[in-house]
Amino acid sequence: MRVLVAEDEEILAELVATGLRRAGFAVDTVYSGDAAQAYLGLYDYDVIVLDRDLPRVHGDDVARQLVASGSRTRILMLTAAGSMEDRVSGLDLGADDYLGKPFEFPELVSRVRALRRRSARPVPPQLVRYGIRLDTVRRTASRDGRELDLSPKEFAVLQLLLEADGGTVSAEELLERAWDANADPFTGAVRVCLSKLRGKLGEPAVIRTVQGVGYAL
């Protein structure tokens, strides 16, 4: 759901981030190892797409620190060196997957999704509640058989509410999980997104506001 792209080639980093956002992920980008460490300390990421050859702090050291901390963040390591020895050394560092450059973008998206499913918060292929059916693999949603045309943010928010299985999700958690670090917490983005989502879900209303706490299905 939330991905950190750590890649020193800024154009490549932004291209990867744009593609992942289109695939429905909230994405932050950094261009050095020390910045990656700082972001990992601030936010709870599902996956980090980690270039090995980062400046200031090497990607290998970022991976070592992440594994040593016991973080549940999955590591997809990128490198221009694609020999078997490089792949083995990267996996031995604690990387969950390894992809050599250049790579095909659909494969990168597929690998990120696979790592998300293997995270400490596994997501079932389909989430169903109150007639809502969310397919987390095909990225489709319906209610009572009616297809829902959801934006990536609306899909992410609905998925988080369904994953809560009736529990309450705070606005802060929705902002943390479905938006990137550039989101302004004072813009009312969560409230606007929920208003649009409620309209698309239709009647009877299924998203309720728990005053002072958050939202629940």
Side-chain angles (χ1 to χ4, degrees):
M1 193 74 67
R2 187 161 188 179
V3 180
L4 177 64
V5 175
E7 164 62 62
D8 67 326
E9 297 179 40
E10 295 189 20
I11 294 176
L12 176 58
E14 294 307 323
L15 285 172
V16 169
T18 298
L20 288 172
R21 290 184 186 113
R22 288 174 180 167
F25 294 98
V27 186
D28 296 322
T29 53
V30 293
Y31 314 118
S32 64
D34 55 340
Q37 290 176 324
Y39 270 62
L40 289 164
L42 288 172
Y43 305 106
D44 182 22
Y45 292 98
D46 296 291
V47 178
I48 177 172
V49 178
L50 178 64
D51 181 33
R52 288 189 79 171
D53 298 317
L54 290 173
R56 293 202 285 276
V57 176
H58 197 274
D60 289 359
D61 294 323
V62 175
R64 287 191 189 97
Q65 183 184 43
L66 194 59
V67 172
S69 71
S71 171
R72 64 166 198 86
T73 301
R74 300 296 187 179
I75 302 171
L76 173 57
M77 192 169 275
L78 299 179
T79 184
S83 70
M84 182 186 71
E85 291 79 9
D86 289 306
R87 292 196 300 272
V88 169
S89 66
L91 294 170
D92 283 345
L93 285 168
D96 298 281
D97 200 357
Y98 199 97
L99 191 59
K101 298 178 183 177
F103 52 83
E104 295 293 331
F105 195 78
E107 182 180 6
L108 173 66
V109 173
S110 179
R111 287 174 183 251
V112 169
R113 283 179 175 156
L115 290 177
R116 169 68 175 94
R117 291 194 293 272
R118 288 165 49 193
S119 71
R121 291 196 294 263
V123 179
Q126 292 198 352
L127 296 163
V128 181
R129 192 178 181 87
Y130 295 127
I132 300 167
R133 184 176 296 274
L134 200 76
D135 189 317
T136 62
V137 178
R138 294 184 177 85
R139 306 288 299 174
T140 59
S142 64
R143 184 179 186 189
D144 298 327
R146 175 176 57 88
E147 293 298 317
L148 301 173
D149 182 19
L150 303 182
S151 71
K153 282 289 182 291
E154 291 160 359
F155 190 98
V157 168
L158 183 57
Q159 180 173 332
L160 288 166
L161 292 172
L162 286 165
E163 286 178 12
D165 197 24
T168 303
V169 184
S170 69
E172 291 77 14
E173 184 177 353
L174 290 174
L175 196 66
E176 164 77 16
R177 304 300 305 158
W179 277 262
D180 60 32
N182 295 317
D184 184 345
F186 302 106
T187 60
V190 172
R191 186 177 65 254
V192 171
C193 181
L194 278 162
S195 175
K196 292 180 179 178
L197 180 57
R198 282 173 165 137
K200 291 182 180 181
L201 288 171
E203 297 295 335
V206 289
I207 299 177
R208 57 191 176 89
T209 301
V210 183
Q211 199 63 36
V213 181
Y215 306 90
L217 282 177

